[in-house]
Amino acid sequence: MPVQADEHVVKVTPLGSHDGEFCSRDRALVFEDPNGTRILYDAGRTVAGPDDPRLGKIDVILVSHMHGDHVGDQRISETNQGSCGSPDTGVSTLPQSNTVDIAVKKNAKIVTGSEMPAFFAAKLKESGGDPANSLLVRFGGERKVGGVAITTVPAVHSNGVSPSFLTGPLAEYLKAAGVGASVGAPTGYVLTFSNGLVVYLSGDTGITAEQKLVVNEHYGAQLVVMNIGDTFTTGPKEAAYVINDLIRPAAVIASHANESATEKGAVRKDTRTEQFVSLSSVPVHVPLSGKTMSFNGSASCTEGC
């Protein structure tokens, strides 16, 4: 007997700083394929290290780029510390990063593009992990991990490694010069799950032609995780243009708002998040920390939205 479609769902769980809210430093999302494969995207600062009880099993970690708020130069000790607008992320994870700490404890694969895999392989080795768990997938290629197809797509941003992640004379030279080490271009991701759902993770990016030509026309992304924070990435107006005119998905999850976007789970007035919701022509799902959303193969939310 065929399994009903609503049993073949991808579960998306935001791991933010404050339970039930969408806060200023929130980046991390966990995607769970119907087959049980669990993927952590941009752990950043709001995952309380590898022992965060919200993590569970993690098979794959994705890192869009090496900025501290995505790879994790510091982290929370537990949820609900500080305010939503200014969470307490006072636990340092340097020089290894929150991402590497989690990967070592969970024995997870780190899948990245550009020149990032060599950096993460060295960090895994230094931290007692397996450097072979750092895997490469460059633009136009594809790698399957746990039945989920993963590819990287271009993002327009920067991708320098801060000297604080490095040790020895090189770190001192770079710090004195005011520059970071290059690990190639930043990336976004396209994930194809076993139920057919195609998800675009924008990473930190401005508007790119590839969002139409590659993400839409080639991969046919149906669910988008879109950065809306402005100044450093697309703002709400630009992000809405990407959604409405370039990608045209079935649904979008707002991300990287750089603000206290909600209060008691409701979107606050006069925020970037409210503006993005009002300008978007498709359903916008606000990632409330700890609240799992479920999506079928057509990106319709079946629960938790």
Side-chain angles (χ1 to χ4, degrees), residues 203-303:
D204 277 11
T205 189
I207 298 169
T208 73
E210 287 86 359
Q211 288 167 331
K212 181 177 189 298
L213 297 174
V214 180
V215 177
N216 177 1
E217 295 182 3
H218 179 67
Y219 291 109
Q222 302 138 309
L223 177 64
V224 170
V225 176
M226 191 71 212
N227 290 11
I228 65 171
D230 218 349
T231 306
F232 306 105
T233 70
T234 47
K237 291 184 292 184
E238 293 80 7
Y241 169 72
V242 170
I243 295 302
N244 298 341
D245 294 270
L246 300 185
I247 303 179
R248 299 179 180 176
V252 58
I253 297 172
S255 180
H256 200 302
N258 288 345
E259 65 184 357
S260 178
T262 62
E263 185 174 358
K264 296 181 179 178
V267 175
R268 297 172 66 235
K269 292 186 180 299
D270 301 320
T271 57
R272 285 183 285 271
T273 302
E274 183 192 48
Q275 186 179 14
F276 179 62
V277 171
S278 69
L279 291 174
S280 297
S281 60
V282 304
V284 176
H285 303 297
V286 177
L288 302 178
S289 181
K291 185 175 181 180
T292 298
M293 301 172 280
S294 298
F295 296 90
N296 64 20
S298 301
S300 295
C301 186
T302 62
E303 189 176 2

Side-chain angles (χ1 to χ4, degrees), residues 110-174:
I110 302 176
V111 180
T112 53
S114 296
E115 309 306 317
M116 291 184 279
F119 172 84
F120 281 116
K123 285 293 181 186
L124 288 171
K125 185 176 181 179
E126 290 170 8
S127 302
D130 184 355
N133 278 341
S134 180
L135 305 178
L136 168 68
V137 57
R138 287 218 174 106
F139 305 137
E142 181 182 279
R143 182 182 287 274
K144 275 198 170 184
V145 183
V148 180
I150 303 170
T151 190
T152 49
V153 292
V156 178
H157 197 57
S158 59
N159 196 25
V161 178
S162 168
S164 60
F165 287 109
L166 307 175
T167 57
L170 177 60
E172 296 303 319
Y173 296 151
L174 291 173

Side-chain angles (χ1 to χ4, degrees), residues 179-209:
V179 297
S182 174
V183 285
T187 66
Y189 289 89
V190 175
L191 311 179
T192 304
F193 290 93
S194 65
N195 68 343
L197 179 66
V198 180
V199 179
Y200 167 54
L201 311 176
S202 72
D204 277 11
T205 189
I207 298 169
T208 73

